[in-house]
Amino acid sequence: MAKVSISLDAELVVEVMVLAGVGSPQDAIELVVRDYIARGHRTEARAELRDQTLREVEVKPQNPQG
């Protein structure tokens, strides 16, 4: 796997380390990125489910009104 090196504000990294409960800056940032990606996938799944539900509602014939 390819690696990327970036510079981050040390205070941000320390805060993430404390919140994540890890002792390594590398592990802390990896956790944040993995969580961000997982959250994006969950959001996509919810949006897809909502769209699918809306399509099913549009397809169903409605009862006559009146």
Side-chain angles (χ1 to χ4, degrees):
M1 178 186 318
K3 299 286 182 176
V4 176
S5 296
I6 59 172
S7 297
L8 295 171
D9 183 344
E11 289 181 22
L12 290 174
V13 175
V14 169
E15 189 166 348
V16 170
M17 289 171 62
V18 170
L19 290 171
V22 296
S24 160
Q26 175 76 31
D27 291 344
I29 300 306
E30 258 187 48
L31 283 171
V32 169
V33 172
R34 290 181 189 280
D35 181 63
Y36 182 81
I37 291 169
R39 188 174 302 176
H41 289 306
R42 289 190 303 268
T43 300
E44 288 173 1
R46 279 196 310 267
E48 184 178 323
L49 180 60
R50 184 192 69 225
D51 291 346
Q52 182 180 10
T53 303
L54 289 174
R55 281 193 298 273
E56 289 173 1
V57 168
E58 291 173 1
V59 172
K60 291 181 184 176
Q62 294 188 359
N63 294 332
Q65 297 179 1

